[in-house]
DNA sequence: ACAAAAGTGTTATTATTACACCCATGA
DNA sequence: TCATGGGTGTAATAATAACACTTTTGT
């Protein structure tokens, strides 16, 4: 049977928290269409490459981050007929969550890769193609996954304090959480946090115990968005 | 820039409940590869067609169901290099939830479309390509969405009783729910169910009020899987 | 009258929230 | 000693789970 030919790409929504702000990795486009606009990093899937492998490859090209240092999951696929004016491109978007990095690294085909606050990008029409929609869906996915999975830890370094984790939730959700109730809930939820022997005073005040992410994949009961503080 | 050409298809996981069993729509393949095996219905995305439009078109070809009669959402995309031995095919899977239908309708390129219990299909290696994996992910998605969205109503006719809705949850989750607590929870959750003026005795016993699906998109609090009865 | 399912009431348990209070460090 | 965040206790409220009991039909 005859069938049309498509180009297939992967695009990445790489989120991290920098300066108490949710930020996303973007590249500046060097050529038309959308020349000089920002875009999500991405690229063509290779001839003999799996989709997730392509996403991991692009991620490493842009950030030097490898699987195991980031959470990477498929987000959604976008294929409206004229989303790229040059040709019919279907893109499989992936969502990556990472701890704050030393420095983003410029990739092969990316003019410059840099972190930019999500809110700024969604307000201004600064993103090329349908990338604002993709970013929006990625952020919503991250927000809801924080509620019922332990993915908040994906934004933290390997060892972190409870209040560092709490700030992740506050930034991603845009709410304030009661530090005392959050602490109890996070530490009492079986399998969520694994205590280490170490403490730190890097957040000021009394030394805080350091934790690692536990092994569970779902939080029960979930960590819903409470209020105030 | 050079890039490989892909074929892009949509595949459908169409779920319904028949005879107190979760069933999925499958077609029998008439040709190799996987000749005479079952497969999820699907087909190529057309030249100038959006992905969701393609999914809706395939759905209508197979079942005569139109948007508005079913819930249709994107599920996930599968593109392992040799998932189809003939060529490089990336498939965007969609999940459809429908009320029990009069009769499935044979489509243009499908030998025969029929309902088959999900459990049977997942146990036996009866499904072609990677369709067992796609089905598995579709069923898991349906199970979890029933918890925090009002999607259980997608398996019901336009007007339904609370106990018909409860049976949906019992079948999809494979649990028993307390009819009295379920009734209270379903009817008290703001915006979930809209009462009509009608009642029915089709389930036996005292007449039950008929409801329509409400307008909310999320259940708060969620309908978690309780026990016993 | 009886079976069967609809629907309400009540109570024990558990989770959530708000907030008082003490602890251990750096400056 | 004081400010800063870490961490525990506790009581009011809300949600859940279990189950007794009344209601309204068909047969």
């Amino acid at each position: 049977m005859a069938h049309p030919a498509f180009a297939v790409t992967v695009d990445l929504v790489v989120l991290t928290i920098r300066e108490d702000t949710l930020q996303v990795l973007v590249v500046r486009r060097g050529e038309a269409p959308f020349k000089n606009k920002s875009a999500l990093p991405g690229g063509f899937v290779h001839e003999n490459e799996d989709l997730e492998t392509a996403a991991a490859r692009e991620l490493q090209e842009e950030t030097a981050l490898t699987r195991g240092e980031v959470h990477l999951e498929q987000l959604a696929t976008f294929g409206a007929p004229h989303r790229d004016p040059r040709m019919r491109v279907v893109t499989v978007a992936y969502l990556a969550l990472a701890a704050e990095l030393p420095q983003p690294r410029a990739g092969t085909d990316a003019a410059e890769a840099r972190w930019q606050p999500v809110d700024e990008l969604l307000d201004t029409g600064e993103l090329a193609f349908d990338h604002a929609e993709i970013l929006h869906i990625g952020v919503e996915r991250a927000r809801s996954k924080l509620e019922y999975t332990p993915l908040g830890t994906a934004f933290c370094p390997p060892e972190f304090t409870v209040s560092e984790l709490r700030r992740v939730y506050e930034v991603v959700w845009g709410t304030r959480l009661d530090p005392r109730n959050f602490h109890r809930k996070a530490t009492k939820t079986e399998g969520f946090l694994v205590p280490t022997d170490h403490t730190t005073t890097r957040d000021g005040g009394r030394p805080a115990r350091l934790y690692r992410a536990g092994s569970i994949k779902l939080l029960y009961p979930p960590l819903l968005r409470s209020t105030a503080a």
Side-chain angles (χ1 to χ4, degrees), chain A:
Chain A
M1 185 202 286
H3 56 268
F6 292 74
V8 176
T9 59
V10 288
D11 282 322
L12 296 174
V13 177
V14 190
L15 300 178
T16 196
I17 291 173
R18 294 171 71 87
E19 297 161 1
D20 273 353
T21 312
L22 185 63
Q23 308 214 2
V24 60
L25 191 72
V26 290
V27 297
R28 183 160 291 274
R29 286 186 58 78
E31 34 187 274
F34 302 102
K35 185 167 178 178
N36 294 324
K37 288 227 169 192
S38 293
L40 299 175
F44 292 106
V45 176
H46 292 176
E47 187 74 43
N48 231 234
E49 189 181 41
D50 192 14
L51 301 173
E52 182 154 333
T53 307
R57 173 178 52 74
E58 292 288 344
L59 181 63
Q60 173 151 25
E61 286 174 13
E62 302 293 346
T63 65
L65 285 167
T66 59
R67 309 292 308 277
E69 295 179 291
V70 280
H71 169 83
L72 182 65
E73 69 177 45
Q74 196 185 96
L75 181 59
T77 298
F78 300 80
H82 301 290
R83 56 178 296 279
D84 184 323
R86 294 165 298 182
M87 56 181 161
R88 187 71 200 268
V89 181
V90 167
T91 195
V92 184
Y94 279 79
L95 176 65
L97 310 181
E100 182 167 354
L101 304 172
Q103 203 54 300
R105 178 176 108 185
T108 41
D109 55 354
E112 21 172 339
R114 63 191 195 289
W115 296 107
Q116 204 158 319
V118 163
D119 291 345
E120 287 179 16
L121 275 170
L122 289 176
D123 290 349
T124 69
E126 180 60 22
L127 279 172
F129 305 107
D130 50 3
H131 288 188
E133 183 190 358
I134 298 175
L135 173 57
H136 181 257
I137 289 174
V139 171
E140 283 307 309
R141 172 88 130 249
R143 287 199 174 121
S144 62
K145 280 213 142 184
L146 255 55
E147 295 197 12
Y148 59 94
T149 72
L151 272 186
T153 58
F155 287 105
C156 295
E159 299 200 345
F160 52 87
T161 68
V162 172
S163 74
E164 287 161 2
L165 180 63
R166 174 170 49 81
R167 269 168 226 135
V168 167
Y169 283 81
E170 293 181 332
V171 167
V172 175
W173 286 343
T175 55
R176 303 290 286 170
L177 298 173
D178 184 296
R180 299 156 292 184
N181 291 336
F182 183 89
H183 184 280
R184 192 178 356 232
K185 210 165 170 184
T187 55
K188 294 271 169 68
T189 298
E190 194 73 24
F192 184 20
L193 300 182
V194 179
T196 70
D197 293 339
H198 322 126
T199 59
T200 183
T201 57
R202 66 192 179 211
D203 302 319
R206 166 176 165 181
R209 163 154 267 110
L210 285 164
Y211 294 85
R212 304 180 157 278
S215 51
I216 55 165
K217 295 282 172 268
L218 283 176
L219 293 183
Y220 186 78
L223 260 173
L224 292 174
R225 321 179 185 185
S226 49
T227 39

